[in-house]
């Protein structure tokens, strides 16, 4: 390939395809139109194919032009990510990663796993935010987050997922509740009692409603709260029972004198995943963090 096949030429070619007009592309890229025409002509000569044709609606790519357009966008996007990653090193940060996680992951094991990583790589900056599963998936798809950590029950079609950790859902009751003396319980048996909902609109609430409906019943929350801490305190006040992850609630249960009954249902063993657009699209720092999280999960 000659010098005509370079990032500047590719950017100008993409601009012409998107604008459908060389003059508008020139205005967008702050360059004279004749310079764009010369570069594209040189590119076509270099590749020995026609890339653009004029039609009633303006300039459009040929079949070969469409192929180049796809590859050019991917190449320019990759170069943009590379530039952003290297700029982190220039500023002395040595990489930054934006991670979104569900409330259960944040209440259980992720903070300790991240602390272990930052203990090894103290110059890395991690931006960690709590989101419901649907928001995590949307942000990862849009590219506004490097990756997300969430329950694998959500719709992650089109994204790549890697296994992380798992937890066990349980029924939380106060110590003198009629169910408190059981060693474990089926979800359907909890439906006869007032319940406490956690994080309205979350995938957990959706799943509980679905499994109740499958049993011909309804999951109706007497009280709804937005944090695990609040749910545990509501249960301790004898205002209802709650379905929560055992790993996150056991410290509260010990402090508040609550009973923790593992759910017997197969779906109550939840598996969490790390979701991303693809491993290849992660920055080097993000890949390093993902590898660390997976090693922690395997060792648990």
């Amino acid at each position: 390939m000659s010098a005509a096949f370079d990032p500047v030429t590719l950017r100008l070619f993409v601009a012409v395809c998107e604008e459908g007009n060389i003059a508008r592309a020139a205005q967008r890229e702050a360059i004279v139109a004749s310079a764009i025409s010369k570069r594209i002509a040189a590119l076509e000569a270099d590749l020995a194919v026609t890339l653009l044709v004029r039609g009633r609606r303006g300039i459009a790519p040929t079949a070969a032009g469409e192929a180049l357009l796809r590859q050019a966008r991917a190449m320019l996007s990759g170069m943009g990510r590379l530039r952003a990653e290297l700029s982190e090193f220039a500023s002395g940060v040595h990489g930054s990663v934006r991670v979104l996680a569900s409330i259960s992951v944040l209440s259980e094991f992720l903070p300790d796993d991240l602390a272990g990583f930052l203990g090894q790589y103290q110059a890395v900056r991690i931006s960690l935010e709590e989101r419901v599963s649907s928001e995590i998936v949307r942000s990862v798809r849009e590219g506004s987050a490097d990756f997300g950590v969430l329950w694998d029950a959500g719709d992650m079609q089109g994204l790549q997922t890697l296994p992380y950790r798992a937890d066990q859902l349980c029924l939380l009751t106060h110590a003198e509740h009629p169910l408190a003396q059981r060693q474990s319980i089926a979800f359907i048996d909890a439906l006869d009692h007032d319940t406490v909902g956690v994080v309205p609109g979350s995938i957990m609430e959706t799943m509980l409603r679905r499994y109740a409906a499958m049993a011909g019943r309804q999951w109706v929350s007497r009280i709804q709260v937005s944090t695990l801490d609040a749910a545990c305190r509501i249960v301790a006040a004898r205002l209802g029972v709650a379905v929560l992850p055992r790993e996150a609630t056991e410290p509260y249960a010990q402090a508040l004198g609550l009973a923790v009954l593992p759910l017997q249902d197969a779906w109550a063993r939840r598996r969490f995943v790390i979701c991303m657009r693809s491993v290849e699209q992660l920055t080097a720092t993000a890949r390093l963090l993902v590898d660390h999280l997976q090693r922690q999960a395997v060792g648990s």
Side-chain angles (χ1 to χ4, degrees):
M1 292 295 175
S2 72
F5 196 69
D6 61 22
V8 174
T9 301
L10 292 180
R11 191 181 73 247
L12 295 175
F13 174 76
V14 170
V16 171
C17 291
E18 291 178 348
E19 298 294 337
N21 182 283
I22 289 180
R24 287 198 298 270
Q27 184 177 14
R28 165 175 147 179
E29 297 296 325
I31 191 173
V32 296
S34 60
I36 294 183
S37 298
K38 288 179 181 179
R39 280 184 175 267
I40 292 179
L43 182 58
E44 289 180 320
D46 191 52
L47 298 174
V49 293
T50 300
L51 299 172
L52 299 172
V53 293
R54 294 185 180 276
R56 293 181 178 179
R57 297 183 178 180
I59 295 176
T62 62
E66 289 283 1
L68 177 60
L69 180 61
R70 289 193 300 272
Q71 295 298 328
R73 283 171 170 160
M75 291 173 63
L76 293 171
S77 176
M79 292 179 69
R81 291 194 301 273
L82 175 61
R83 186 179 298 108
E85 186 170 352
L86 291 179
S87 69
E88 294 287 353
F89 287 91
S91 66
V93 176
H94 301 305
S96 63
V97 187
R98 183 172 186 234
V99 182
L100 303 183
S102 63
I103 184 173
S104 292
V105 175
L106 283 175
S107 301
E108 298 177 42
F109 19 69
L110 186 60
D112 288 340
D113 288 346
L114 293 180
F117 177 83
L118 290 174
Q120 298 178 56
Y121 305 97
Q122 297 180 15
V124 172
R125 181 178 63 201
I126 296 177
S127 171
L128 177 63
E129 298 178 40
E130 178 190 319
R131 293 285 189 275
V132 297
S133 294
S134 59
E135 292 177 354
I136 294 173
V137 171
R138 182 174 64 252
S139 295
V140 171
R141 283 195 175 120
E142 292 173 350
S144 58
D146 290 288
F147 64 85
V149 188
L150 67 162
W151 188 10
D152 68 357
D155 178 11
M156 287 171 274
Q157 185 175 3
L159 297 177
Q160 182 175 354
T161 62
L162 298 172
Y164 182 42
R165 292 182 181 262
D167 70 3
Q168 174 67 46
L169 293 178
C170 66
L171 186 72
L172 198 66
T173 76
H174 65 79
E176 297 180 8
H177 192 279
L179 300 175
Q181 300 307 312
R182 296 196 186 189
Q183 297 300 308
S184 62
I185 191 171
F187 174 63
I188 191 172
D189 293 335
L191 298 177
D192 294 325
H193 303 269
D194 291 333
T195 61
V196 179
V198 184
V199 189
S202 67
I203 191 170
M204 165 82 85
E205 184 179 73
T206 301
M207 294 293 287
L208 294 179
R209 292 182 186 279
R210 181 183 304 170
Y211 285 118
M214 290 171 62
R217 306 286 295 279
Q218 284 188 320
W219 173 262
V220 180
S221 300
R222 179 183 182 186
I223 299 174
Q224 290 194 325
V225 296
S226 58
T227 67
L228 296 178
D229 174 77
C232 292
R233 295 185 183 282
I234 292 295
V235 172
R238 308 187 181 199
L239 297 177
V241 299
V243 174
L244 296 169
R246 179 177 60 192
E247 291 77 359
T249 55
E250 282 185 333
Y252 294 102
Q254 294 174 7
L256 298 173
L258 305 178
V260 180
L261 315 177
L263 290 180
Q264 300 166 354
D265 308 77
W267 52 264
R269 181 64 175 173
R270 297 193 302 176
R271 288 175 172 78
F272 295 93
V273 295
I274 303 166
C275 75
M276 66 210 78
R277 284 178 294 176
S278 71
V279 171
E280 292 75 17
Q281 294 185 59
L282 292 176
T283 65
T285 307
R287 286 197 300 273
L288 198 64
L289 177 54
V290 167
D291 290 343
H292 172 82
L293 294 179
Q294 286 207 285
R295 286 196 302 272
Q296 296 301 112
V298 170
S300 62

